[in-house]
Coordinates of all heavy atoms in Angstrom, one line a residue:
D571 N 55.6 -104.4 -102.6 CA 56.3 -103.2 -103.2 C 57.6 -103.5 -103.8 O 57.9 -103.0 -104.9 CB 56.5 -102.2 -102.1 CG 55.1 -101.5 -101.6 OD1 54.1 -101.7 -102.4 OD2 55.1 -100.9 -100.5
R572 N 58.4 -104.4 -103.2 CA 59.7 -104.8 -103.8 C 59.5 -105.5 -105.1 O 60.2 -105.2 -106.1 CB 60.5 -105.7 -102.8 CG 61.4 -104.9 -101.9 CD 62.3 -105.9 -101.1 NE 61.9 -105.8 -99.7 CZ 61.7 -106.9 -99.0 NH1 61.8 -108.1 -99.4 NH2 61.3 -106.7 -97.7
K573 N 58.5 -106.3 -105.2 CA 58.2 -107.0 -106.4 C 57.8 -106.1 -107.5 O 58.2 -106.2 -108.6 CB 57.1 -108.1 -106.1 CG 57.1 -109.3 -107.0 CD 56.0 -110.2 -106.6 CE 56.6 -111.6 -106.4 NZ 55.5 -112.5 -106.1
R574 N 57.0 -105.1 -107.1 CA 56.5 -104.1 -108.1 C 57.6 -103.2 -108.6 O 57.6 -102.8 -109.7 CB 55.4 -103.3 -107.4 CG 54.5 -102.6 -108.4 CD 53.3 -101.8 -107.8 NE 52.7 -102.5 -106.7 CZ 52.5 -102.1 -105.5 NH1 52.9 -100.9 -105.1 NH2 51.8 -102.8 -104.6
N575 N 58.6 -102.9 -107.7 CA 59.6 -102.0 -108.1 C 60.9 -102.7 -108.7 O 61.9 -102.1 -109.0 CB 60.1 -101.2 -106.9 CG 59.0 -100.2 -106.5 OD1 58.1 -99.8 -107.3 ND2 58.9 -99.9 -105.2
A576 N 60.8 -104.0 -108.8 CA 61.9 -104.8 -109.3 C 62.2 -104.5 -110.8 O 61.2 -104.2 -111.5 CB 61.6 -106.3 -109.1
P577 N 63.4 -104.5 -111.2 CA 63.7 -104.2 -112.6 C 63.1 -105.3 -113.5 O 63.0 -106.4 -113.1 CB 65.2 -104.2 -112.6 CG 65.7 -105.0 -111.5 CD 64.6 -104.8 -110.4
L578 N 62.7 -104.8 -114.6 CA 62.1 -105.7 -115.6 C 63.2 -106.6 -116.2 O 64.3 -106.2 -116.4 CB 61.4 -105.0 -116.7 CG 60.2 -104.1 -116.3 CD1 59.7 -103.3 -117.5 CD2 59.1 -105.0 -115.7
P579 N 62.9 -107.9 -116.5 CA 63.9 -108.7 -117.2 C 64.2 -108.2 -118.6 O 63.3 -107.6 -119.2 CB 63.2 -110.1 -117.2 CG 61.7 -109.8 -117.1 CD 61.6 -108.5 -116.3
P580 N 65.3 -108.5 -119.1 CA 65.6 -108.1 -120.4 C 64.7 -108.7 -121.4 O 64.3 -109.8 -121.3 CB 67.1 -108.5 -120.7 CG 67.3 -109.6 -119.6 CD 66.4 -109.3 -118.5
R581 N 64.4 -107.9 -122.4 CA 63.4 -108.4 -123.5 C 64.1 -109.4 -124.3 O 65.3 -109.4 -124.6 CB 63.0 -107.2 -124.3 CG 62.1 -106.2 -123.6 CD 61.6 -105.2 -124.6 NE 60.8 -104.2 -123.8 CZ 59.5 -104.1 -124.0 NH1 58.9 -104.9 -124.8 NH2 58.8 -103.3 -123.3
K582 N 63.3 -110.4 -124.7 CA 63.8 -111.4 -125.6 C 63.8 -110.9 -127.0 O 63.0 -110.2 -127.4 CB 62.9 -112.7 -125.5 CG 63.0 -113.3 -124.1 CD 62.2 -114.6 -124.1 CE 62.3 -115.2 -122.7 NZ 61.6 -116.4 -122.6
R583 N 64.8 -111.4 -127.8 CA 64.9 -111.0 -129.2 C 64.6 -112.1 -130.1 O 64.9 -113.3 -129.8 CB 66.3 -110.5 -129.5 CG 66.7 -109.2 -128.7 CD 68.1 -108.8 -129.0 NE 68.3 -107.5 -128.4 CZ 68.7 -106.4 -129.1 NH1 69.0 -106.5 -130.4 NH2 68.9 -105.3 -128.5
V584 N 64.0 -111.8 -131.2 CA 63.6 -112.8 -132.1 C 64.2 -112.5 -133.5 O 64.2 -111.4 -133.9 CB 62.0 -112.9 -132.3 CG1 61.6 -113.9 -133.4 CG2 61.3 -113.1 -131.0
S585 N 64.8 -113.5 -134.1 CA 65.5 -113.2 -135.4 C 64.7 -114.0 -136.4 O 64.2 -115.1 -136.2 CB 66.9 -113.7 -135.3 OG 67.0 -115.1 -135.0
F586 N 64.7 -113.4 -137.6 CA 63.9 -113.9 -138.8 C 64.9 -114.1 -139.9 O 65.9 -113.3 -140.1 CB 62.8 -113.0 -139.2 CG 61.7 -112.9 -138.1 CD1 61.7 -111.8 -137.2 CD2 60.7 -113.9 -138.0 CE1 60.7 -111.7 -136.3 CE2 59.8 -113.8 -137.0 CZ 59.7 -112.7 -136.2
A587 N 64.6 -115.0 -140.8 CA 65.4 -115.1 -142.0 C 65.1 -113.9 -142.9 O 64.1 -113.3 -142.8 CB 65.0 -116.4 -142.8
A588 N 66.1 -113.6 -143.7 CA 66.0 -112.4 -144.6 C 64.8 -112.5 -145.5 O 64.1 -111.5 -145.7 CB 67.2 -112.3 -145.4
S589 N 64.4 -113.7 -145.9 CA 63.3 -113.8 -146.8 C 62.0 -113.5 -146.1 O 61.0 -112.9 -146.7 CB 63.2 -115.2 -147.4 OG 63.1 -116.1 -146.4
V590 N 61.9 -113.9 -144.8 CA 60.7 -113.6 -144.0 C 60.6 -112.1 -143.8 O 59.5 -111.5 -143.9 CB 60.7 -114.4 -142.7 CG1 59.6 -114.0 -141.8 CG2 60.7 -115.9 -143.0
A591 N 61.7 -111.5 -143.4 CA 61.6 -110.0 -143.2 C 61.2 -109.3 -144.4 O 60.4 -108.3 -144.4 CB 63.0 -109.5 -142.7
L592 N 61.8 -109.7 -145.6 CA 61.4 -109.0 -146.8 C 59.9 -109.3 -147.2 O 59.2 -108.4 -147.6 CB 62.3 -109.6 -148.0 CG 62.1 -108.9 -149.3 CD1 62.4 -107.4 -149.2 CD2 63.0 -109.6 -150.3
L593 N 59.4 -110.5 -146.9 CA 58.0 -110.8 -147.2 C 57.1 -109.9 -146.3 O 56.1 -109.4 -146.8 CB 57.7 -112.3 -146.9 CG 56.3 -112.7 -147.1 CD1 55.9 -112.6 -148.6 CD2 56.2 -114.2 -146.7
E594 N 57.5 -109.8 -145.0 CA 56.7 -109.0 -144.1 C 56.6 -107.5 -144.5 O 55.6 -106.8 -144.5 CB 57.2 -109.1 -142.7 CG 56.3 -108.6 -141.6 CD 56.6 -107.1 -141.3 OE1 57.7 -106.6 -141.5 OE2 55.6 -106.5 -140.8
A595 N 57.8 -107.0 -144.9 CA 57.9 -105.6 -145.4 C 57.0 -105.4 -146.6 O 56.3 -104.4 -146.8 CB 59.3 -105.2 -145.7
S596 N 57.0 -106.4 -147.5 CA 56.2 -106.3 -148.8 C 54.7 -106.3 -148.5 O 53.9 -105.7 -149.1 CB 56.6 -107.3 -149.8 OG 56.3 -108.6 -149.3
T597 N 54.3 -107.1 -147.5 CA 52.9 -107.2 -147.1 C 52.4 -105.9 -146.6 O 51.2 -105.6 -146.7 CB 52.6 -108.4 -146.2 OG1 53.4 -108.2 -145.0 CG2 52.8 -109.7 -146.8
R598 N 53.3 -105.1 -146.0 CA 52.9 -103.8 -145.4 C 53.1 -102.7 -146.4 O 52.9 -101.6 -146.1 CB 53.8 -103.5 -144.2 CG 53.4 -104.4 -142.9 CD 54.2 -103.9 -141.7 NE 55.6 -104.2 -141.8 CZ 56.6 -103.3 -141.8 NH1 56.3 -102.1 -141.7 NH2 57.8 -103.7 -141.9
S599 N 53.5 -103.1 -147.6 CA 53.8 -102.1 -148.7 C 54.8 -101.1 -148.2 O 54.7 -99.9 -148.5 CB 52.5 -101.4 -149.1 OG 51.6 -102.4 -149.6
D600 N 55.9 -101.5 -147.5 CA 56.9 -100.7 -147.0 C 58.1 -100.8 -148.0 O 59.0 -101.6 -147.8 CB 57.3 -101.0 -145.6 CG 58.2 -100.0 -144.9 OD1 58.7 -99.1 -145.6 OD2 58.4 -100.1 -143.7
A601 N 58.1 -99.9 -149.0 CA 59.1 -100.0 -150.0 C 60.5 -99.6 -149.5 O 61.5 -100.2 -149.8 CB 58.7 -99.1 -151.2
E602 N 60.5 -98.7 -148.6 CA 61.8 -98.2 -148.0 C 62.5 -99.4 -147.2 O 63.7 -99.6 -147.4 CB 61.6 -97.0 -147.1 CG 62.9 -96.4 -146.5 CD 62.6 -95.3 -145.6 OE1 61.7 -94.4 -145.9 OE2 63.3 -95.2 -144.6
E603 N 61.7 -100.0 -146.4 CA 62.3 -101.2 -145.7 C 62.7 -102.3 -146.6 O 63.7 -103.0 -146.4 CB 61.4 -101.7 -144.6 CG 62.0 -102.8 -143.7 CD 61.1 -103.2 -142.6 OE1 60.0 -102.7 -142.4 OE2 61.6 -104.1 -141.9
G604 N 61.9 -102.5 -147.7 CA 62.2 -103.5 -148.6 C 63.5 -103.3 -149.3 O 64.4 -104.2 -149.5
R605 N 63.8 -102.0 -149.7 CA 65.1 -101.6 -150.3 C 66.2 -101.8 -149.3 O 67.3 -102.3 -149.7 CB 65.0 -100.2 -150.8 CG 64.4 -100.0 -152.2 CD 64.5 -98.6 -152.7 NE 63.2 -98.2 -153.2 CZ 62.3 -97.4 -152.6 NH1 62.6 -96.9 -151.5 NH2 61.1 -97.2 -153.2
R606 N 66.0 -101.4 -148.1 CA 67.0 -101.6 -147.1 C 67.4 -103.0 -146.9 O 68.6 -103.4 -146.8 CB 66.6 -101.0 -145.7 CG 67.6 -101.0 -144.7 CD 67.2 -100.3 -143.4 NE 65.9 -100.9 -142.8 CZ 65.9 -101.9 -142.1 NH1 67.0 -102.6 -141.7 NH2 64.8 -102.4 -141.6
L607 N 66.4 -103.9 -146.9 CA 66.6 -105.3 -146.7 C 67.3 -105.9 -147.9 O 68.2 -106.8 -147.8 CB 65.3 -106.1 -146.4 CG 64.6 -105.8 -145.1 CD1 63.2 -106.4 -145.0 CD2 65.5 -106.3 -143.9
E608 N 67.0 -105.4 -149.1 CA 67.7 -106.0 -150.3 C 69.1 -105.6 -150.3 O 70.0 -106.4 -150.9 CB 67.0 -105.4 -151.6 CG 65.6 -106.1 -151.8 CD 64.9 -105.4 -153.0 OE1 65.3 -104.4 -153.4 OE2 63.9 -106.1 -153.4
T609 N 69.5 -104.4 -149.8 CA 70.9 -104.0 -149.8 C 71.7 -104.6 -148.8 O 73.0 -104.6 -148.8 CB 71.0 -102.4 -149.7 OG1 70.4 -102.1 -148.5 CG2 70.3 -101.8 -150.9
R610 N 71.1 -105.2 -147.8 CA 71.9 -105.9 -146.7 C 72.4 -107.2 -147.2 O 71.9 -107.9 -148.0 CB 71.0 -106.2 -145.5 CG 70.7 -104.9 -144.7 CD 70.2 -105.3 -143.4 NE 71.1 -104.8 -142.3 CZ 70.9 -105.1 -141.1 NH1 70.0 -105.8 -140.7 NH2 71.8 -104.5 -140.2
H611 N 73.6 -107.6 -146.7 CA 74.2 -108.8 -147.1 C 74.1 -109.9 -146.1 O 74.5 -111.0 -146.3 CB 75.7 -108.5 -147.3 CG 76.0 -107.5 -148.4 ND1 75.8 -107.8 -149.7 CD2 76.4 -106.3 -148.3 CE1 76.1 -106.8 -150.4 NE2 76.5 -105.8 -149.6
D612 N 73.4 -109.6 -144.9 CA 73.2 -110.6 -143.9 C 72.2 -111.6 -144.3 O 71.2 -111.2 -145.0 CB 72.8 -110.0 -142.6 CG 73.8 -109.0 -142.0 OD1 75.0 -109.2 -142.4 OD2 73.5 -108.2 -141.2
E613 N 72.3 -112.8 -143.9 CA 71.3 -113.8 -144.1 C 70.1 -113.7 -143.2 O 69.0 -114.0 -143.5 CB 71.9 -115.2 -144.0 CG 72.7 -115.7 -145.2 CD 71.7 -115.7 -146.5 OE1 70.7 -116.3 -146.3 OE2 72.1 -115.2 -147.5
R614 N 70.4 -113.2 -141.9 CA 69.3 -113.1 -140.9 C 69.3 -111.7 -140.4 O 70.3 -111.0 -140.3 CB 69.6 -114.1 -139.8 CG 69.6 -115.5 -140.3 CD 70.0 -116.5 -139.2 NE 69.1 -116.5 -138.1 CZ 68.0 -117.3 -138.0 NH1 67.8 -118.1 -139.0 NH2 67.2 -117.3 -137.0
F615 N 68.1 -111.3 -140.0 CA 67.9 -109.9 -139.5 C 67.4 -110.1 -138.1 O 66.7 -111.0 -137.7 CB 66.9 -109.1 -140.3 CG 67.4 -108.9 -141.7 CD1 66.9 -109.7 -142.7 CD2 68.3 -108.0 -142.0 CE1 67.3 -109.6 -144.0 CE2 68.8 -107.8 -143.3 CZ 68.2 -108.6 -144.3

């Protein structure tokens, strides 16, 4: 019961290069996300 009620560990985060994120958005035909990614100045998302 203690094991079952224990808090979950924090989720791991994964970062991608801007080009990969833009490629993924374009494969989903998500124009809005593509525009958002183009306007960002960060190299990684």
Side-chain angles (χ1 to χ4, degrees):
D571 288 345
R572 269 191 246 134
K573 209 179 232 185
R574 201 176 313 127
N575 294 334
L578 296 174
R581 293 184 180 252
K582 294 182 180 182
R583 293 178 174 237
V584 179
S585 58
F586 295 97
S589 59
V590 173
L592 185 58
L593 180 64
E594 193 272 334
S596 64
T597 57
R598 289 186 290 118
S599 300
D600 191 347
E602 184 179 321
E603 186 176 359
R605 278 189 223 101
R606 185 177 57 84
L607 291 171
E608 287 175 346
T609 60
R610 285 194 121 185
H611 299 288
D612 295 339
E613 279 298 310
R614 298 172 66 86
F615 298 100

